[in-house]
Amino acid sequence: MLTKKQIELLEFIQKRMARDGVPPSFDEMKVALDLRSKSGIHRLVTALEERGFIRRLPHRARALEIVRLPETLAGSASGFAPKVIEGNRPAAPPRGAMDVQAHAMELPVMGRIAAGVPIEAISEVSHHISVPGSMLSGRENHYALEVKGDSMIEAGINDGDVVVIREQDSAQNGDIVVALVDEHEATLKYYRRKGAMIALEAANPAYETRILPEDKIRVQGRLVGLIRSY
């Protein structure tokens, strides 16, 4: 039997993974559960792992996977599956997105995206990748990008991972987005609006938050899934 706090944490992780495709950081868990320190979160995570509800992915900072849900949550999350895939990228299939099987789709990989110092904007298809249909939302357009850098490591996004992006030109505070800076630099960061200014926030204390006027930033999509390659 889980405690109230353990259930609250599991539910928070589940909702964030369903929304963003990646688990929340320990700091975000601490704030969500109104705890004073991250040590309390560490104890709750360890307890959930020992009971078989979550699994910590080895050698991956802040990387969690929900293995199962208690009955109190399962009823509200029918069909739940982690939006994280592990494995090597397949060989490139023919150009163009198409159905592969009932629960898989082919997405174009549009080059590399900086999770670190911004790089030149992505524009061309380098290859395609198969992703589960459950990772995609409705009829919206999606594409994939290969991550370069470690600025989002505490969000569970590592150098060499592939992120699945839903095309959209707006974002809410806390979303992880593909942002185009000055029309030529593309980067993957947390989005925070502060009046007429936009903050592009890393998930690694080694990187400073960039705060720019809103006319310097153009949102090109929001993170909805993550594929880890080893």
Side-chain angles (χ1 to χ4, degrees), residues 5 8-9 12 26-35:
K5 282 294 186 184
E8 287 179 4
L9 179 59
F12 177 64
F26 277 34
D27 281 323
E28 291 171 323
M29 295 180 202
K30 177 174 70 71
V31 172
L33 270 68
D34 195 25
L35 297 180

Side-chain angles (χ1 to χ4, degrees), residues 146-162:
E146 183 179 350
V147 174
K148 176 179 174 61
D150 63 355
S151 75
M152 298 301 289
I153 195 168
E154 291 196 4
I157 304 172
N158 299 276
D159 184 51
D161 287 346
V162 172

Side-chain angles (χ1 to χ4, degrees), residues 18 21 81-85 103 107 130-138 142 162-166 223-227:
K83 289 192 175 182
V84 178
I85 309 173
H103 302 292
L107 291 184
S130 180
V131 303
S134 59
M135 188 178 286
L136 311 179
S137 48
H142 296 77
V162 172
V163 289
V164 178
I165 305 297
R166 183 179 72 189
L223 178 74
V224 296
L226 175 69
I227 300 171

Side-chain angles (χ1 to χ4, degrees), residues 72-87:
T72 53
L73 295 180
S76 60
S78 57
F80 168 79
K83 289 192 175 182
V84 178
I85 309 173
E86 301 176 23

Side-chain angles (χ1 to χ4, degrees), residues 6-84:
Q6 289 167 356
I7 291 175
E8 287 179 4
L9 179 59
L10 191 58
E11 184 175 21
F12 177 64
I13 295 171
Q14 171 210 332
K15 288 180 177 179
R16 283 299 298 272
M17 289 184 70
R19 191 190 77 179
D20 298 338
V22 294
S25 68
F26 277 34
D27 281 323
E28 291 171 323
M29 295 180 202
K30 177 174 70 71
V31 172
L33 270 68
D34 195 25
L35 297 180
R36 294 184 178 181
S37 70
K38 287 194 289 187
S39 61
I41 294 297
H42 280 283
R43 287 193 294 271
L44 290 172
V45 168
T46 298
L48 289 171
E49 186 176 30
E50 289 175 347
R51 288 162 175 77
F53 288 95
I54 65 174
R55 179 175 64 184
R56 277 183 272 206
L57 302 176
H59 312 300
R60 299 283 173 171
R62 305 291 188 262
L64 302 174
E65 181 179 62
I66 296 179
V67 178
R68 63 190 180 95
L69 294 171
E71 291 184 1
T72 53
L73 295 180
S76 60
S78 57
F80 168 79
K83 289 192 175 182
V84 178

Side-chain angles (χ1 to χ4, degrees), residues 166-211:
R166 183 179 72 189
E167 287 188 22
Q168 58 185 70
D169 57 9
S170 62
Q172 298 181 354
N173 283 345
D175 285 347
I176 297 177
V177 303
V178 172
L180 192 63
V181 181
D182 284 334
E183 295 299 322
H184 71 278
E185 296 178 347
T187 188
L188 185 73
K189 293 291 184 292
Y190 280 114
Y191 175 95
R192 314 275 186 194
R193 173 178 284 277
K194 301 178 180 179
M197 306 295 286
I198 303 296
L200 299 177
E201 181 182 309
N204 182 336
Y207 293 84
E208 294 184 358
T209 297
R210 299 182 69 187
I211 302 178

